[in-house]
Amino acid sequence: MADLATAVTERLLIDAGIREGMRVLDVGCGRGLVSLLLARLVGARGQVVGVDIDSRSLAVARETVQDARITFVEGDFRSLSSEHGLFDAAVGRRVLMYQPDAVEALRGLARVLRPGGLMAFQEHDSTVAPTSLTPLPLHEKVRAWMWRTVEREGGNVHMGFGLASALTRAGLTVEQVRAEAIVQTPAMHHPVGAILRAMLPRIVERGVATEAELGIDTIDARLIEERTQADATYIGEMVFGAWARLPR
């Protein structure tokens, strides 16, 4: 997923202080995309452990991510055992929004951090976007499909605005909070088709839209055409990021 959102994630990790030699936990690692980013940052002396409860995603990660510095573990990050040791940092992307209690999840995660350890989380938020000076009906429809699915799954679609509060209530010291927009223009694109394809089973299962309605094979071309014809700039996603420290 080498896209605008990945660049936002990489900036967050670098600015938060993920650096060479660290031992980092990738929370809700999925297919290992963030784990790969982390491995580049921690270098040859570092280590990354990715944890996820989804066995299918982990199977893909183990098959496609070939890096001796990365280990994948199946399980709930909120109840990691001591056998995995302590970490210098824990990071997650679009993870807290799916926790029944984000504060309790963070408190559980704090138990596997060293004193003074770092937490860095990135959460998408539906509150501000979509935004465009020109009506873009297809863009708005696609965005509604995605967020309606998250809502029906029980996800918190306003987690970005709650991120700083959750970290503070969990007993950490927040060092910075930021929000960045995913901006699309006729010449700048976001791989919506790939995202929809990954979400397809969830969208259909939740009764949000049918596969025929999505038209995944042509969706990116149709979105580009809509922006191009309108000569429009579009903000479809707002991405919040924050990092915090565990007290020493």
Side-chain angles (χ1 to χ4, degrees):
M1 195 172 163
D3 56 43
L4 301 171
T6 298
V8 173
T9 302
E10 188 165 12
R11 283 195 295 273
L12 175 71
L13 297 176
I14 292 171
D15 293 349
I18 301 297
R19 61 185 184 276
E20 189 172 351
M22 276 187 162
R23 187 166 191 264
V24 183
L25 179 66
D26 180 9
V27 177
C29 64
R31 299 184 178 191
L33 300 175
V34 175
S35 299
L36 283 170
L37 280 178
L38 289 166
R40 291 208 307 267
L41 296 177
V42 301
R45 297 186 297 110
Q47 182 185 15
V48 177
V49 175
V51 60
D52 204 295
I53 60 174
D54 186 347
S55 59
R56 291 174 298 181
S57 294
L58 284 177
V60 174
R62 288 172 176 142
E63 182 178 345
T64 58
V65 177
Q66 304 298 321
D67 192 312
R69 296 166 295 179
I70 304 174
T71 302
F72 293 109
V73 175
E74 184 176 345
D76 189 334
F77 74 88
R78 297 170 298 183
S79 55
L80 278 178
S81 64
S82 58
E83 67 180 276
H84 300 295
L86 295 178
F87 295 88
D88 300 303
V91 308
R93 181 168 72 173
R94 296 191 294 272
V95 172
L96 296 179
M97 65 192 299
Y98 287 106
Q99 302 307 308
D101 188 327
V103 175
E104 283 304 311
L106 290 168
R107 286 173 180 159
L109 187 58
R111 290 195 290 268
V112 300
L113 282 185
R114 294 189 173 95
L118 173 72
M119 281 196 202
F121 278 88
Q122 184 183 83
E123 298 289 334
H124 286 220
D125 192 295
S126 71
T127 308
V128 177
T131 304
S132 175
L133 295 180
T134 306
L136 298 172
L138 180 59
H139 285 69
E140 293 177 12
K141 180 184 291 186
V142 167
R143 185 180 179 279
W145 287 335
M146 293 178 176
W147 281 110
R148 196 170 297 134
T149 301
V150 173
E151 280 188 303
R152 293 185 182 181
E153 291 172 335
N156 180 359
V157 300
H158 307 296
M159 188 64 230
F161 274 97
L163 187 52
S165 175
L167 289 163
T168 300
R169 290 168 57 201
L172 291 99
T173 301
V174 176
E175 295 186 347
Q176 188 173 123
V177 183
R178 61 175 57 160
E180 297 187 55
I182 303 299
V183 180
Q184 299 179 71
T185 71
M188 294 174 59
H189 315 307
H190 191 51
V192 174
I195 298 169
L196 279 177
R197 188 170 286 106
M199 290 185 68
L200 177 60
R202 297 159 55 196
I203 293 171
V204 174
E205 181 182 351
R206 297 295 175 178
V208 172
T210 66
E211 187 170 349
E213 287 176 305
L214 268 61
I216 287 175
D217 292 339
T218 62
I219 190 65
D220 282 321
R222 287 185 285 132
L223 289 168
I224 292 170
E225 181 181 13
E226 185 175 68
R227 289 198 307 278
T228 301
Q229 289 185 351
D231 192 21
T233 293
Y234 173 75
I235 296 176
E237 300 294 336
M238 188 66 70
V239 185
F240 283 73
W243 63 87
R245 293 275 176 186
L246 191 68
R248 292 186 178 277

